[in-house]
Coordinates of all heavy atoms in Angstrom, one line a residue:
P1270 N 25.3 -20.4 46.5 CA 24.3 -19.4 46.8 C 23.0 -19.8 46.3 O 21.9 -19.3 46.8 CB 24.9 -18.1 46.3 CG 25.9 -18.5 45.3 CD 26.5 -19.9 45.7
Q1271 N 22.9 -20.6 45.4 CA 21.6 -21.0 44.7 C 20.8 -21.8 45.7 O 19.6 -22.1 45.6 CB 21.7 -21.7 43.4 CG 22.1 -20.9 42.3 CD 22.3 -21.7 41.0 OE1 23.4 -22.2 40.7 NE2 21.3 -21.6 40.3
V1272 N 21.5 -22.4 46.8 CA 20.9 -23.1 47.8 C 20.9 -22.4 49.1 O 20.8 -23.0 50.2 CB 21.3 -24.6 47.9 CG1 20.9 -25.4 46.6 CG2 22.8 -24.7 48.1
G1273 N 21.3 -21.1 49.0 CA 21.3 -20.2 50.2 C 22.5 -20.3 51.1 O 22.5 -19.8 52.2
V1274 N 23.7 -20.7 50.5 CA 24.9 -20.8 51.2 C 25.9 -19.9 50.6 O 26.3 -20.2 49.4 CB 25.4 -22.3 51.4 CG1 26.7 -22.3 52.1 CG2 24.4 -23.2 52.0
L1275 N 26.4 -19.0 51.3 CA 27.3 -18.0 50.7 C 28.8 -18.4 50.8 O 29.6 -17.8 51.5 CB 27.2 -16.6 51.3 CG 25.8 -16.0 51.0 CD1 25.6 -14.6 51.8 CD2 25.8 -15.7 49.5
R1276 N 29.0 -19.6 50.3 CA 30.4 -20.2 50.1 C 30.9 -20.4 48.6 O 29.9 -20.6 47.8 CB 30.5 -21.5 50.9 CG 30.1 -21.4 52.4 CD 30.9 -20.3 53.1 NE 32.3 -20.5 53.3 CZ 32.9 -21.1 54.4 NH1 32.1 -21.5 55.3 NH2 34.1 -21.2 54.4
R1277 N 32.1 -20.3 48.4 CA 32.6 -20.4 47.0 C 32.7 -22.0 46.6 O 33.9 -22.5 46.6 CB 33.9 -19.7 46.8 CG 33.8 -18.2 47.1 CD 34.9 -17.3 46.7 NE 35.0 -17.2 45.2 CZ 34.3 -16.3 44.5 NH1 33.5 -15.5 45.1 NH2 34.5 -16.3 43.2
I1278 N 31.6 -22.6 46.3 CA 31.5 -24.0 45.9 C 30.5 -24.1 44.7 O 29.5 -23.5 44.8 CB 31.0 -24.9 47.1 CG1 31.8 -24.7 48.3 CG2 30.9 -26.3 46.6 CD1 31.3 -25.3 49.5
V1279 N 30.9 -24.8 43.7 CA 30.1 -25.2 42.6 C 30.2 -26.7 42.2 O 31.2 -27.3 42.5 CB 30.4 -24.3 41.4 CG1 30.3 -22.8 41.6 CG2 31.7 -24.6 40.7
T1280 N 29.0 -27.1 41.8 CA 29.0 -28.5 41.2 C 28.5 -28.4 39.7 O 27.7 -27.6 39.4 CB 28.0 -29.4 42.0 OG1 26.7 -28.8 41.9 CG2 28.4 -29.6 43.4
I1281 N 29.2 -29.1 38.9 CA 29.0 -29.1 37.5 C 29.0 -30.6 37.0 O 29.8 -31.4 37.3 CB 30.0 -28.3 36.7 CG1 29.9 -26.8 37.1 CG2 29.8 -28.4 35.2 CD1 31.1 -26.0 36.6
D1282 N 28.0 -30.9 36.0 CA 28.1 -32.2 35.3 C 27.4 -31.9 33.9 O 26.2 -31.7 33.9 CB 27.4 -33.2 36.1 CG 27.6 -34.6 35.5 OD1 28.0 -34.7 34.3 OD2 27.3 -35.6 36.2
I1283 N 28.2 -31.9 33.0 CA 27.7 -31.7 31.6 C 27.5 -33.1 30.9 O 27.2 -33.2 29.7 CB 28.6 -30.8 30.7 CG1 30.0 -31.5 30.6 CG2 28.8 -29.4 31.3 CD1 30.8 -30.9 29.5
G1284 N 27.4 -34.1 31.7 CA 27.2 -35.5 31.2 C 28.4 -36.3 31.2 O 28.3 -37.4 30.8
E1285 N 29.5 -35.9 31.8 CA 30.7 -36.6 31.8 C 31.1 -37.0 33.2 O 32.3 -37.3 33.4 CB 31.8 -35.8 31.1 CG 31.5 -35.5 29.7 CD 32.5 -34.6 28.9 OE1 33.4 -34.0 29.7 OE2 32.2 -34.2 27.8
G1286 N 30.3 -36.7 34.1 CA 30.6 -37.1 35.6 C 30.7 -35.7 36.4 O 31.0 -34.7 35.8
P1287 N 30.5 -35.7 37.7 CA 30.5 -34.5 38.4 C 31.8 -33.9 38.7 O 32.8 -34.6 38.8 CB 29.9 -35.1 39.8 CG 30.3 -36.5 39.8 CD 30.1 -37.0 38.5
I1288 N 31.8 -32.6 38.6 CA 33.0 -31.8 38.9 C 32.6 -30.9 40.1 O 31.7 -30.2 40.1 CB 33.4 -30.9 37.7 CG1 33.7 -31.7 36.5 CG2 34.6 -30.0 38.1 CD1 33.8 -30.9 35.2
I1289 N 33.4 -31.1 41.1 CA 33.3 -30.1 42.3 C 34.4 -29.2 42.4 O 35.6 -29.6 42.3 CB 33.3 -31.1 43.5 CG1 32.0 -31.9 43.6 CG2 33.3 -30.2 44.8 CD1 32.3 -33.3 44.2
M1290 N 34.1 -27.9 42.4 CA 35.0 -26.8 42.5 C 34.8 -26.0 43.7 O 33.8 -25.3 43.8 CB 34.9 -26.0 41.1 CG 35.1 -26.9 39.9 SD 34.9 -25.8 38.4 CE 36.6 -25.0 38.3
I1291 N 35.8 -25.9 44.5 CA 35.9 -25.1 45.7 C 36.9 -23.9 45.4 O 38.0 -24.1 44.9 CB 36.3 -25.9 47.0 CG1 35.4 -27.0 47.3 CG2 36.5 -25.0 48.2 CD1 35.9 -28.0 48.2
N1292 N 36.3 -22.7 45.7 CA 37.1 -21.5 45.4 C 37.7 -21.4 43.9 O 38.8 -21.1 43.7 CB 38.3 -21.4 46.5 CG 37.9 -21.4 47.9 OD1 36.8 -21.0 48.1 ND2 38.8 -21.8 48.7
P1293 N 36.8 -21.7 43.0 CA 37.3 -21.6 41.6 C 37.5 -20.3 41.2 O 36.9 -19.3 41.6 CB 36.0 -22.3 40.9 CG 34.8 -21.8 41.7 CD 35.4 -21.9 43.1
R1294 N 38.5 -20.2 40.2 CA 38.9 -18.9 39.5 C 39.3 -19.2 38.1 O 39.9 -20.3 37.9 CB 39.8 -18.1 40.3 CG 41.2 -18.8 40.4 CD 42.1 -18.1 41.5 NE 43.5 -18.6 41.4 CZ 43.8 -19.8 41.9 NH1 43.0 -20.6 42.5 NH2 45.1 -20.2 41.9
I1295 N 38.9 -18.3 37.2 CA 39.4 -18.5 35.9 C 40.8 -17.8 35.7 O 40.9 -16.7 36.1 CB 38.3 -17.9 34.9 CG1 37.1 -18.7 35.0 CG2 38.8 -17.9 33.5 CD1 35.9 -18.1 34.3
V1296 N 41.7 -18.6 35.2 CA 43.1 -18.0 35.1 C 43.3 -17.6 33.6 O 44.3 -16.7 33.5 CB 44.1 -19.0 35.6 CG1 44.1 -19.1 37.1 CG2 44.1 -20.3 34.8
S1297 N 42.6 -18.1 32.7 CA 42.7 -17.6 31.3 C 41.4 -17.9 30.6 O 40.7 -18.9 30.8 CB 43.9 -18.1 30.6 OG 43.7 -19.6 30.3
A1298 N 41.2 -17.1 29.5 CA 39.9 -17.3 28.7 C 40.2 -16.8 27.3 O 40.9 -15.8 27.2 CB 38.8 -16.6 29.3
D1299 N 39.7 -17.4 26.3 CA 39.8 -17.0 25.0 C 38.7 -17.5 24.1 O 37.9 -18.4 24.5 CB 41.3 -17.3 24.4 CG 41.4 -18.8 24.3 OD1 40.9 -19.5 23.4 OD2 42.2 -19.4 25.2
G1300 N 38.7 -17.0 23.0 CA 37.6 -17.3 22.0 C 36.3 -16.7 22.5 O 36.2 -16.0 23.4
E1301 N 35.3 -17.1 21.7 CA 33.9 -16.6 21.9 C 32.9 -17.6 21.5 O 33.0 -18.2 20.5 CB 33.8 -15.2 21.3 CG 32.5 -14.6 21.6 CD 32.4 -13.2 20.9 OE1 33.0 -12.3 21.4 OE2 31.8 -13.0 19.9
Q1302 N 31.8 -17.7 22.3 CA 30.7 -18.6 21.9 C 29.4 -17.8 22.3 O 29.3 -17.2 23.4 CB 30.7 -19.9 22.5 CG 30.7 -19.8 24.1 CD 30.5 -21.3 24.7 OE1 29.6 -22.0 24.3 NE2 31.4 -21.7 25.6
V1303 N 28.4 -17.8 21.5 CA 27.2 -17.2 21.8 C 26.2 -18.4 21.8 O 26.0 -19.2 20.8 CB 26.8 -16.1 20.7 CG1 25.4 -15.6 21.1 CG2 27.8 -15.1 20.6
G1304 N 25.3 -18.3 22.8 CA 24.4 -19.6 22.9 C 23.3 -19.2 24.0 O 23.4 -18.3 24.8
G1305 N 22.3 -20.0 23.9 CA 21.3 -19.9 24.9 C 21.7 -20.4 26.3 O 22.5 -21.5 26.3
E1306 N 21.3 -19.7 27.3 CA 21.7 -20.0 28.6 C 20.5 -19.9 29.5 O 19.7 -19.0 29.3 CB 22.8 -19.0 29.0 CG 23.7 -19.5 30.2 CD 25.0 -18.8 30.4 OE1 25.7 -18.6 29.4 OE2 25.3 -18.2 31.4
A1307 N 20.4 -20.8 30.4 CA 19.3 -20.9 31.4 C 19.9 -21.1 32.7 O 21.2 -21.3 32.9 CB 18.4 -22.1 30.9
C1308 N 19.0 -21.1 33.8 CA 19.5 -21.2 35.1 C 18.4 -21.9 36.0 O 17.2 -21.6 35.9 CB 19.9 -19.8 35.6 SG 20.5 -19.8 37.3
L1309 N 18.8 -22.7 37.0 CA 17.9 -23.3 37.8 C 17.2 -22.3 38.7 O 16.2 -22.5 39.2 CB 18.6 -24.4 38.7 CG 19.3 -25.6 38.0 CD1 19.9 -26.5 38.8 CD2 18.0 -26.4 37.2
S1310 N 17.8 -21.2 38.9 CA 17.3 -20.0 39.7 C 16.3 -19.2 39.0 O 15.7 -18.3 39.5 CB 18.3 -19.2 40.3 OG 19.1 -20.0 41.3
Y1311 N 16.1 -19.5 37.7 CA 15.2 -18.8 36.8 C 14.5 -19.8 35.9 O 14.7 -19.7 34.7 CB 15.8 -17.6 36.1 CG 15.0 -16.6 35.5 CD1 13.7 -16.3 36.0 CD2 15.4 -15.9 34.4 CE1 12.9 -15.4 35.5 CE2 14.6 -14.8 33.8 CZ 13.3 -14.6 34.4 OH 12.5 -13.6 33.9
P1312 N 13.7 -20.8 36.5 CA 13.3 -21.9 35.7 C 12.3 -21.4 34.6 O 11.6 -20.5 34.7 CB 12.5 -22.8 36.6 CG 12.2 -21.8 37.9 CD 13.3 -20.8 37.9
G1313 N 12.4 -22.1 33.4 CA 11.5 -21.9 32.3 C 11.9 -20.8 31.4 O 11.2 -20.4 30.5

């Protein structure tokens, strides 16, 4: 959606190579982290 397409696709690369996820869903989550977060759709 950040490029105007309403499909369930994401691309991620935290420096370890690209990850492509189609129809992703989180099946479990635990722990907590608090940190600075930014977004290409809200630059700066």
